[in-house]
């Protein structure tokens, strides 16, 4: 989970960024912070795991692996952000953010 201090740093970095890439949407907190603190021309891209691909995912049988898999399952169901309909500098956040889902493939 992103701390308030980390959120402040990420928000400051977003102010000077035009294209922001986030790996792991999670709850969408930092995605929304990026969108809220970046310029109206900026784009935010976030990718997260597709729930359909989680059955093949193995992160180990230890406590950490099980917790990580449980978190991945919770995070993968995010469809849209709470702030999607919020306007920032007259631009809907939904137009600034792209959330993509992907399935991991073992090679």
């Amino acid at each position: 989970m992103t701390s308030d201090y980390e959120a402040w740093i990420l928000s400051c970095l977003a102010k000077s960024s035009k294209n922001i890439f986030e790996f792991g949407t999670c709850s969408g907190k930092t995605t929304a912070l990026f969108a809220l603190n970046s310029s109206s021309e900026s784009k935010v891209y976030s990718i997260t795991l597709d729930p359909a691909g989680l059955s093949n995912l193995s992160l180990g049988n230890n406590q950490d692996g099980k917790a990580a898999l449980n978190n991945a399952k919770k995070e993968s169901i995010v469809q849209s952000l709470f702030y999607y309909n919020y306007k920032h500098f007259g631009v809907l956040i939904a137009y600034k953010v792209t959330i993509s889902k992907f399935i991991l493939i073992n090679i």
Side-chain angles (χ1 to χ4, degrees), residues 33-49:
L33 288 172
F34 286 145
L36 288 169
N37 289 284
S38 58
S39 70
S40 59
E41 304 88 36
S42 298
K43 295 294 275 178
V44 179
Y45 302 93
S46 184
I47 63 170
T48 194
L49 293 171

Side-chain angles (χ1 to χ4, degrees), residues 60-78:
N61 273 338
N62 60 20
Q63 186 176 356
D64 289 340
K66 290 176 182 177
L69 183 58
N70 189 39
N71 288 339
K73 287 178 182 177
K74 290 177 187 174
E75 295 166 6
S76 69
I77 61 172
V78 172

Side-chain angles (χ1 to χ4, degrees), residues 4-60:
D4 289 342
Y5 183 66
E6 291 169 324
W8 175 74
I9 292 171
L10 293 170
S11 296
C12 289
L13 290 171
K15 290 183 182 299
S16 61
S17 302
K18 296 294 179 201
N19 289 295
I20 301 168
F21 178 78
E22 177 186 37
F23 186 82
T25 308
C26 193
S27 66
K29 176 183 176 181
T30 54
T31 312
L33 288 172
F34 286 145
L36 288 169
N37 289 284
S38 58
S39 70
S40 59
E41 304 88 36
S42 298
K43 295 294 275 178
V44 179
Y45 302 93
S46 184
I47 63 170
T48 194
L49 293 171
D50 189 321
L54 290 176
S55 60
N56 299 331
L57 184 61
S58 175
L59 299 173

Side-chain angles (χ1 to χ4, degrees), residues 14 17 22 52 67 82 89 91 107:
S17 302
E22 177 186 37
F82 179 74
F89 294 120
V91 177
I107 300 175

